[in-house]
PDB file of all heavy atoms in Angstrom:
ATOM      1  N   VAL O 242       3.119  -2.402  -3.356  1.00 93.00           N
ATOM      2  CA  VAL O 242       3.949  -1.837  -2.289  1.00 93.00           C
ATOM      3  C   VAL O 242       5.379  -1.637  -2.780  1.00 93.00           C
ATOM      4  O   VAL O 242       6.000  -0.596  -2.523  1.00 93.00           O
ATOM      5  CB  VAL O 242       3.911  -2.737  -1.039  1.00 93.00           C
ATOM      6  CG1 VAL O 242       4.944  -2.283  -0.006  1.00 93.00           C
ATOM      7  CG2 VAL O 242       2.523  -2.711  -0.417  1.00 93.00           C
ATOM      8  N   ALA O 243       5.911  -2.618  -3.503  1.00 95.00           N
ATOM      9  CA  ALA O 243       7.284  -2.514  -3.994  1.00 95.00           C
ATOM     10  C   ALA O 243       7.451  -1.344  -4.962  1.00 95.00           C
ATOM     11  O   ALA O 243       8.453  -0.620  -4.907  1.00 95.00           O
ATOM     12  CB  ALA O 243       7.687  -3.822  -4.671  1.00 95.00           C
ATOM     13  N   ALA O 244       6.477  -1.142  -5.851  1.00 96.00           N
ATOM     14  CA  ALA O 244       6.569  -0.044  -6.819  1.00 96.00           C
ATOM     15  C   ALA O 244       6.561   1.311  -6.120  1.00 96.00           C
ATOM     16  O   ALA O 244       7.340   2.215  -6.465  1.00 96.00           O
ATOM     17  CB  ALA O 244       5.415  -0.131  -7.813  1.00 96.00           C
ATOM     18  N   ASN O 245       5.695   1.460  -5.125  1.00 95.00           N
ATOM     19  CA  ASN O 245       5.616   2.731  -4.420  1.00 95.00           C
ATOM     20  C   ASN O 245       6.858   2.991  -3.572  1.00 95.00           C
ATOM     21  O   ASN O 245       7.339   4.127  -3.492  1.00 95.00           O
ATOM     22  CB  ASN O 245       4.354   2.768  -3.560  1.00 95.00           C
ATOM     23  CG  ASN O 245       3.109   3.005  -4.388  1.00 95.00           C
ATOM     24  OD1 ASN O 245       2.897   4.080  -4.939  1.00 95.00           O
ATOM     25  ND2 ASN O 245       2.255   1.993  -4.496  1.00 95.00           N
ATOM     26  N   LEU O 246       7.401   1.949  -2.950  1.00 94.00           N
ATOM     27  CA  LEU O 246       8.628   2.130  -2.177  1.00 94.00           C
ATOM     28  C   LEU O 246       9.830   2.364  -3.090  1.00 94.00           C
ATOM     29  O   LEU O 246      10.774   3.071  -2.714  1.00 94.00           O
ATOM     30  CB  LEU O 246       8.873   0.923  -1.273  1.00 94.00           C
ATOM     31  CG  LEU O 246       8.031   0.893  -0.001  1.00 94.00           C
ATOM     32  CD1 LEU O 246       8.262  -0.399   0.775  1.00 94.00           C
ATOM     33  CD2 LEU O 246       8.350   2.104   0.894  1.00 94.00           C
ATOM     34  N   ARG O 247       9.792   1.809  -4.284  1.00 94.00           N
ATOM     35  CA  ARG O 247      10.854   2.094  -5.256  1.00 94.00           C
ATOM     36  C   ARG O 247      10.849   3.579  -5.615  1.00 94.00           C
ATOM     37  O   ARG O 247      11.898   4.219  -5.713  1.00 94.00           O
ATOM     38  CB  ARG O 247      10.669   1.251  -6.512  1.00 94.00           C
ATOM     39  CG  ARG O 247      11.661   1.601  -7.633  1.00 94.00           C
ATOM     40  CD  ARG O 247      11.501   0.670  -8.817  1.00 94.00           C
ATOM     41  NE  ARG O 247      12.389   1.065  -9.908  1.00 94.00           N
ATOM     42  CZ  ARG O 247      11.998   1.650 -11.027  1.00 94.00           C
ATOM     43  NH1 ARG O 247      10.711   1.899 -11.226  1.00 94.00           N
ATOM     44  NH2 ARG O 247      12.868   1.976 -11.966  1.00 94.00           N
ATOM     45  N   ALA O 248       9.656   4.132  -5.810  1.00 95.00           N
ATOM     46  CA  ALA O 248       9.562   5.555  -6.126  1.00 95.00           C
ATOM     47  C   ALA O 248      10.080   6.416  -4.974  1.00 95.00           C
ATOM     48  O   ALA O 248      10.693   7.463  -5.198  1.00 95.00           O
ATOM     49  CB  ALA O 248       8.117   5.923  -6.454  1.00 95.00           C
ATOM     50  N   LEU O 249       9.844   5.975  -3.743  1.00 94.00           N
ATOM     51  CA  LEU O 249      10.268   6.757  -2.580  1.00 94.00           C
ATOM     52  C   LEU O 249      11.740   6.570  -2.254  1.00 94.00           C
ATOM     53  O   LEU O 249      12.406   7.512  -1.811  1.00 94.00           O
ATOM     54  CB  LEU O 249       9.423   6.389  -1.358  1.00 94.00           C
ATOM     55  CG  LEU O 249       7.971   6.848  -1.363  1.00 94.00           C
ATOM     56  CD1 LEU O 249       7.259   6.345  -0.116  1.00 94.00           C
ATOM     57  CD2 LEU O 249       7.890   8.373  -1.428  1.00 94.00           C
ATOM     58  N   ARG O 250      12.264   5.348  -2.451  1.00 93.00           N
ATOM     59  CA  ARG O 250      13.612   5.039  -1.981  1.00 93.00           C
ATOM     60  C   ARG O 250      14.543   4.523  -3.072  1.00 93.00           C
ATOM     61  O   ARG O 250      15.709   4.230  -2.795  1.00 93.00           O
ATOM     62  CB  ARG O 250      13.546   4.011  -0.843  1.00 93.00           C
ATOM     63  CG  ARG O 250      12.729   4.505   0.335  1.00 93.00           C
ATOM     64  CD  ARG O 250      12.984   3.714   1.583  1.00 93.00           C
ATOM     65  NE  ARG O 250      12.280   4.292   2.711  1.00 93.00           N
ATOM     66  CZ  ARG O 250      12.710   5.316   3.437  1.00 93.00           C
ATOM     67  NH1 ARG O 250      13.865   5.879   3.125  1.00 93.00           N
ATOM     68  NH2 ARG O 250      12.007   5.788   4.442  1.00 93.00           N
ATOM     69  N   ASP O 251      14.020   4.397  -4.296  1.00 91.00           N
ATOM     70  CA  ASP O 251      14.830   3.927  -5.427  1.00 91.00           C
ATOM     71  C   ASP O 251      15.466   2.566  -5.129  1.00 91.00           C
ATOM     72  O   ASP O 251      16.654   2.351  -5.379  1.00 91.00           O
ATOM     73  CB  ASP O 251      15.902   4.956  -5.788  1.00 91.00           C
ATOM     74  CG  ASP O 251      16.438   4.743  -7.210  1.00 91.00           C
ATOM     75  OD1 ASP O 251      15.792   3.995  -7.969  1.00 91.00           O
ATOM     76  OD2 ASP O 251      17.495   5.306  -7.538  1.00 91.00           O
ATOM     77  N   ILE O 252      14.664   1.653  -4.562  1.00 91.00           N
ATOM     78  CA  ILE O 252      15.120   0.304  -4.231  1.00 91.00           C
ATOM     79  C   ILE O 252      14.391  -0.686  -5.127  1.00 91.00           C
ATOM     80  O   ILE O 252      13.167  -0.689  -5.186  1.00 91.00           O
ATOM     81  CB  ILE O 252      14.838  -0.042  -2.755  1.00 91.00           C
ATOM     82  CG1 ILE O 252      15.605   0.910  -1.838  1.00 91.00           C
ATOM     83  CG2 ILE O 252      15.208  -1.488  -2.461  1.00 91.00           C
ATOM     84  CD1 ILE O 252      15.254   0.726  -0.372  1.00 91.00           C
ATOM     85  N   GLU O 253      15.156  -1.530  -5.818  1.00 91.00           N
ATOM     86  CA  GLU O 253      14.561  -2.554  -6.663  1.00 91.00           C
ATOM     87  C   GLU O 253      14.251  -3.786  -5.817  1.00 91.00           C
ATOM     88  O   GLU O 253      15.100  -4.265  -5.056  1.00 91.00           O
ATOM     89  CB  GLU O 253      15.518  -2.930  -7.796  1.00 91.00           C
ATOM     90  CG  GLU O 253      15.728  -1.829  -8.828  1.00 91.00           C
ATOM     91  CD  GLU O 253      14.544  -1.669  -9.767  1.00 91.00           C
ATOM     92  OE1 GLU O 253      13.630  -2.508  -9.723  1.00 91.00           O
ATOM     93  OE2 GLU O 253      14.543  -0.696 -10.544  1.00 91.00           O
ATOM     94  N   ALA O 254      13.046  -4.310  -5.940  1.00 93.00           N
ATOM     95  CA  ALA O 254      12.661  -5.520  -5.206  1.00 93.00           C
ATOM     96  C   ALA O 254      13.059  -6.747  -6.011  1.00 93.00           C
ATOM     97  O   ALA O 254      12.570  -6.953  -7.124  1.00 93.00           O
ATOM     98  CB  ALA O 254      11.161  -5.522  -4.936  1.00 93.00           C
ATOM     99  N   THR O 255      13.937  -7.555  -5.466  1.00 93.00           N
ATOM    100  CA  THR O 255      14.331  -8.797  -6.117  1.00 93.00           C
ATOM    101  C   THR O 255      13.190  -9.813  -6.020  1.00 93.00           C
ATOM    102  O   THR O 255      12.273  -9.651  -5.218  1.00 93.00           O
ATOM    103  CB  THR O 255      15.578  -9.385  -5.443  1.00 93.00           C
ATOM    104  OG1 THR O 255      15.232  -9.740  -4.090  1.00 93.00           O
ATOM    105  CG2 THR O 255      16.719  -8.380  -5.429  1.00 93.00           C
ATOM    106  N   PRO O 256      13.226 -10.875  -6.824  1.00 92.00           N
ATOM    107  CA  PRO O 256      12.196 -11.915  -6.687  1.00 92.00           C
ATOM    108  C   PRO O 256      12.087 -12.462  -5.267  1.00 92.00           C
ATOM    109  O   PRO O 256      10.978 -12.726  -4.785  1.00 92.00           O
ATOM    110  CB  PRO O 256      12.665 -12.992  -7.670  1.00 92.00           C
ATOM    111  CG  PRO O 256      13.403 -12.223  -8.731  1.00 92.00           C
ATOM    112  CD  PRO O 256      14.106 -11.125  -7.979  1.00 92.00           C
ATOM    113  N   ALA O 257      13.223 -12.620  -4.580  1.00 93.00           N
ATOM    114  CA  ALA O 257      13.193 -13.124  -3.201  1.00 93.00           C
ATOM    115  C   ALA O 257      12.492 -12.145  -2.268  1.00 93.00           C
ATOM    116  O   ALA O 257      11.709 -12.544  -1.391  1.00 93.00           O
ATOM    117  CB  ALA O 257      14.613 -13.395  -2.716  1.00 93.00           C
ATOM    118  N   ILE O 258      12.760 -10.846  -2.449  1.00 92.00           N
ATOM    119  CA  ILE O 258      12.105  -9.831  -1.616  1.00 92.00           C
ATOM    120  C   ILE O 258      10.611  -9.798  -1.908  1.00 92.00           C
ATOM    121  O   ILE O 258       9.789  -9.678  -0.993  1.00 92.00           O
ATOM    122  CB  ILE O 258      12.744  -8.449  -1.862  1.00 92.00           C
ATOM    123  CG1 ILE O 258      14.156  -8.407  -1.264  1.00 92.00           C
ATOM    124  CG2 ILE O 258      11.885  -7.339  -1.253  1.00 92.00           C
ATOM    125  CD1 ILE O 258      14.893  -7.109  -1.542  1.00 92.00           C
ATOM    126  N   LEU O 259      10.241  -9.922  -3.177  1.00 93.00           N
ATOM    127  CA  LEU O 259       8.821  -9.919  -3.529  1.00 93.00           C
ATOM    128  C   LEU O 259       8.087 -11.102  -2.889  1.00 93.00           C
ATOM    129  O   LEU O 259       6.954 -10.956  -2.430  1.00 93.00           O
ATOM    130  CB  LEU O 259       8.649  -9.957  -5.048  1.00 93.00           C
ATOM    131  CG  LEU O 259       8.824  -8.628  -5.782  1.00 93.00           C
ATOM    132  CD1 LEU O 259       8.812  -8.849  -7.286  1.00 93.00           C
ATOM    133  CD2 LEU O 259       7.749  -7.629  -5.377  1.00 93.00           C
ATOM    134  N   ARG O 260       8.740 -12.271  -2.860  1.00 90.00           N
ATOM    135  CA  ARG O 260       8.106 -13.439  -2.232  1.00 90.00           C
ATOM    136  C   ARG O 260       7.903 -13.201  -0.737  1.00 90.00           C
ATOM    137  O   ARG O 260       6.853 -13.543  -0.178  1.00 90.00           O
ATOM    138  CB  ARG O 260       8.960 -14.689  -2.467  1.00 90.00           C
ATOM    139  CG  ARG O 260       8.872 -15.234  -3.890  1.00 90.00           C
ATOM    140  CD  ARG O 260       9.456 -16.620  -3.976  1.00 90.00           C
ATOM    141  NE  ARG O 260      10.890 -16.631  -3.673  1.00 90.00           N
ATOM    142  CZ  ARG O 260      11.844 -16.460  -4.587  1.00 90.00           C
ATOM    143  NH1 ARG O 260      11.520 -16.239  -5.858  1.00 90.00           N
ATOM    144  NH2 ARG O 260      13.105 -16.499  -4.248  1.00 90.00           N
ATOM    145  N   LYS O 261       8.906 -12.623  -0.086  1.00 89.00           N
ATOM    146  CA  LYS O 261       8.783 -12.326   1.338  1.00 89.00           C
ATOM    147  C   LYS O 261       7.702 -11.273   1.574  1.00 89.00           C
ATOM    148  O   LYS O 261       6.885 -11.381   2.500  1.00 89.00           O
ATOM    149  CB  LYS O 261      10.129 -11.829   1.871  1.00 89.00           C
ATOM    150  CG  LYS O 261      10.140 -11.482   3.349  1.00 89.00           C
ATOM    151  CD  LYS O 261       9.928 -12.703   4.208  1.00 89.00           C
ATOM    152  CE  LYS O 261      10.041 -12.355   5.676  1.00 89.00           C
ATOM    153  NZ  LYS O 261       9.881 -13.534   6.553  1.00 89.00           N
ATOM    154  N   LEU O 262       7.692 -10.255   0.734  1.00 90.00           N
ATOM    155  CA  LEU O 262       6.715  -9.185   0.855  1.00 90.00           C
ATOM    156  C   LEU O 262       5.295  -9.718   0.663  1.00 90.00           C
ATOM    157  O   LEU O 262       4.373  -9.360   1.405  1.00 90.00           O
ATOM    158  CB  LEU O 262       7.029  -8.104  -0.185  1.00 90.00           C
ATOM    159  CG  LEU O 262       6.262  -6.790  -0.129  1.00 90.00           C
ATOM    160  CD1 LEU O 262       6.423  -6.123   1.223  1.00 90.00           C
ATOM    161  CD2 LEU O 262       6.737  -5.860  -1.239  1.00 90.00           C
ATOM    162  N   GLU O 263       5.131 -10.593  -0.319  1.00 90.00           N
ATOM    163  CA  GLU O 263       3.809 -11.173  -0.555  1.00 90.00           C
ATOM    164  C   GLU O 263       3.339 -11.965   0.660  1.00 90.00           C
ATOM    165  O   GLU O 263       2.176 -11.885   1.067  1.00 90.00           O
ATOM    166  CB  GLU O 263       3.846 -12.080  -1.787  1.00 90.00           C
ATOM    167  CG  GLU O 263       2.503 -12.708  -2.111  1.00 90.00           C
ATOM    168  CD  GLU O 263       2.532 -13.523  -3.394  1.00 90.00           C
ATOM    169  OE1 GLU O 263       3.552 -13.478  -4.115  1.00 90.00           O
ATOM    170  OE2 GLU O 263       1.536 -14.217  -3.675  1.00 90.00           O
ATOM    171  N   ARG O 264       4.246 -12.722   1.269  1.00 87.00           N
ATOM    172  CA  ARG O 264       3.898 -13.511   2.453  1.00 87.00           C
ATOM    173  C   ARG O 264       3.417 -12.601   3.587  1.00 87.00           C
ATOM    174  O   ARG O 264       2.451 -12.907   4.287  1.00 87.00           O
ATOM    175  CB  ARG O 264       5.111 -14.328   2.898  1.00 87.00           C
ATOM    176  CG  ARG O 264       4.868 -15.187   4.135  1.00 87.00           C
ATOM    177  CD  ARG O 264       6.103 -16.011   4.466  1.00 87.00           C
ATOM    178  NE  ARG O 264       5.952 -16.693   5.747  1.00 87.00           N
ATOM    179  CZ  ARG O 264       5.339 -17.860   5.913  1.00 87.00           C
ATOM    180  NH1 ARG O 264       4.815 -18.469   4.870  1.00 87.00           N
ATOM    181  NH2 ARG O 264       5.249 -18.415   7.105  1.00 87.00           N
ATOM    182  N   GLN O 265       4.093 -11.476   3.762  1.00 86.00           N
ATOM    183  CA  GLN O 265       3.700 -10.531   4.808  1.00 86.00           C
ATOM    184  C   GLN O 265       2.326  -9.930   4.519  1.00 86.00           C
ATOM    185  O   GLN O 265       1.471  -9.840   5.406  1.00 86.00           O
ATOM    186  CB  GLN O 265       4.731  -9.404   4.915  1.00 86.00           C
ATOM    187  CG  GLN O 265       6.084  -9.832   5.438  1.00 86.00           C
ATOM    188  CD  GLN O 265       7.115  -8.719   5.282  1.00 86.00           C
ATOM    189  OE1 GLN O 265       7.025  -7.896   4.372  1.00 86.00           O
ATOM    190  NE2 GLN O 265       8.090  -8.707   6.166  1.00 86.00           N
ATOM    191  N   LEU O 266       2.116  -9.517   3.269  1.00 87.00           N
ATOM    192  CA  LEU O 266       0.931  -8.727   2.941  1.00 87.00           C
ATOM    193  C   LEU O 266      -0.327  -9.554   2.764  1.00 87.00           C
ATOM    194  O   LEU O 266      -1.432  -9.046   2.975  1.00 87.00           O
ATOM    195  CB  LEU O 266       1.206  -7.901   1.681  1.00 87.00           C
ATOM    196  CG  LEU O 266       2.339  -6.870   1.835  1.00 87.00           C
ATOM    197  CD1 LEU O 266       2.619  -6.188   0.507  1.00 87.00           C
ATOM    198  CD2 LEU O 266       1.989  -5.835   2.890  1.00 87.00           C
ATOM    199  N   ILE O 267      -0.188 -10.831   2.389  1.00 87.00           N
ATOM    200  CA  ILE O 267      -1.364 -11.686   2.290  1.00 87.00           C
ATOM    201  C   ILE O 267      -2.089 -11.735   3.625  1.00 87.00           C
ATOM    202  O   ILE O 267      -3.322 -11.656   3.705  1.00 87.00           O
ATOM    203  CB  ILE O 267      -0.973 -13.104   1.830  1.00 87.00           C
ATOM    204  CG1 ILE O 267      -0.723 -13.120   0.320  1.00 87.00           C
ATOM    205  CG2 ILE O 267      -2.080 -14.109   2.166  1.00 87.00           C
ATOM    206  CD1 ILE O 267      -0.240 -14.464  -0.189  1.00 87.00           C
ATOM    207  N   GLY O 268      -1.322 -11.876   4.700  1.00 81.00           N
ATOM    208  CA  GLY O 268      -1.929 -11.916   6.029  1.00 81.00           C
ATOM    209  C   GLY O 268      -2.651 -10.636   6.372  1.00 81.00           C
ATOM    210  O   GLY O 268      -3.731 -10.657   6.976  1.00 81.00           O
ATOM    211  N   ILE O 269      -2.075  -9.502   5.977  1.00 79.00           N
ATOM    212  CA  ILE O 269      -2.698  -8.208   6.260  1.00 79.00           C
ATOM    213  C   ILE O 269      -4.014  -8.074   5.497  1.00 79.00           C
ATOM    214  O   ILE O 269      -5.021  -7.613   6.043  1.00 79.00           O
ATOM    215  CB  ILE O 269      -1.731  -7.064   5.892  1.00 79.00           C
ATOM    216  CG1 ILE O 269      -0.508  -7.098   6.809  1.00 79.00           C
ATOM    217  CG2 ILE O 269      -2.431  -5.716   5.984  1.00 79.00           C
ATOM    218  CD1 ILE O 269       0.567  -6.127   6.423  1.00 79.00           C
ATOM    219  N   VAL O 270      -4.024  -8.482   4.227  1.00 84.00           N
ATOM    220  CA  VAL O 270      -5.246  -8.398   3.424  1.00 84.00           C
ATOM    221  C   VAL O 270      -6.333  -9.290   4.020  1.00 84.00           C
ATOM    222  O   VAL O 270      -7.479  -8.868   4.197  1.00 84.00           O
ATOM    223  CB  VAL O 270      -4.969  -8.793   1.961  1.00 84.00           C
ATOM    224  CG1 VAL O 270      -6.282  -8.891   1.184  1.00 84.00           C
ATOM    225  CG2 VAL O 270      -4.033  -7.779   1.308  1.00 84.00           C
ATOM    226  N   ARG O 271      -5.978 -10.532   4.331  1.00 84.00           N
ATOM    227  CA  ARG O 271      -6.965 -11.458   4.870  1.00 84.00           C
ATOM    228  C   ARG O 271      -7.529 -10.981   6.208  1.00 84.00           C
ATOM    229  O   ARG O 271      -8.693 -11.226   6.527  1.00 84.00           O
ATOM    230  CB  ARG O 271      -6.347 -12.848   5.044  1.00 84.00           C
ATOM    231  CG  ARG O 271      -6.274 -13.666   3.766  1.00 84.00           C
ATOM    232  CD  ARG O 271      -6.141 -15.140   4.069  1.00 84.00           C
ATOM    233  NE  ARG O 271      -6.264 -15.935   2.843  1.00 84.00           N
ATOM    234  CZ  ARG O 271      -5.241 -16.464   2.184  1.00 84.00           C
ATOM    235  NH1 ARG O 271      -4.017 -16.285   2.638  1.00 84.00           N
ATOM    236  NH2 ARG O 271      -5.445 -17.155   1.085  1.00 84.00           N
ATOM    237  N   ALA O 272      -6.693 -10.309   7.004  1.00 78.00           N
ATOM    238  CA  ALA O 272      -7.134  -9.867   8.335  1.00 78.00           C
ATOM    239  C   ALA O 272      -7.858  -8.529   8.305  1.00 78.00           C
ATOM    240  O   ALA O 272      -8.410  -8.104   9.313  1.00 78.00           O
ATOM    241  CB  ALA O 272      -5.928  -9.763   9.271  1.00 78.00           C
ATOM    242  N   SER O 273      -7.876  -7.863   7.156  1.00 79.00           N
ATOM    243  CA  SER O 273      -8.498  -6.546   7.082  1.00 79.00           C
ATOM    244  C   SER O 273     -10.007  -6.655   7.252  1.00 79.00           C
ATOM    245  O   SER O 273     -10.617  -7.642   6.826  1.00 79.00           O
ATOM    246  CB  SER O 273      -8.161  -5.867   5.756  1.00 79.00           C
ATOM    247  OG  SER O 273      -8.648  -6.626   4.675  1.00 79.00           O
TER     248      SER O 273
END
Side-chain angles (χ1 to χ4, degrees):
V242 171
N245 284 291
L246 282 175
R247 174 176 176 253
L249 289 177
R250 301 197 175 278
D251 199 14
I252 298 174
E253 292 285 352
T255 64
I258 289 176
L259 280 172
R260 285 193 296 271
K261 180 66 176 182
L262 188 57
E263 181 176 352
R264 180 177 172 84
Q265 292 170 331
L266 297 175
I267 282 176
I269 294 173
V270 172
R271 280 201 172 102
S273 61

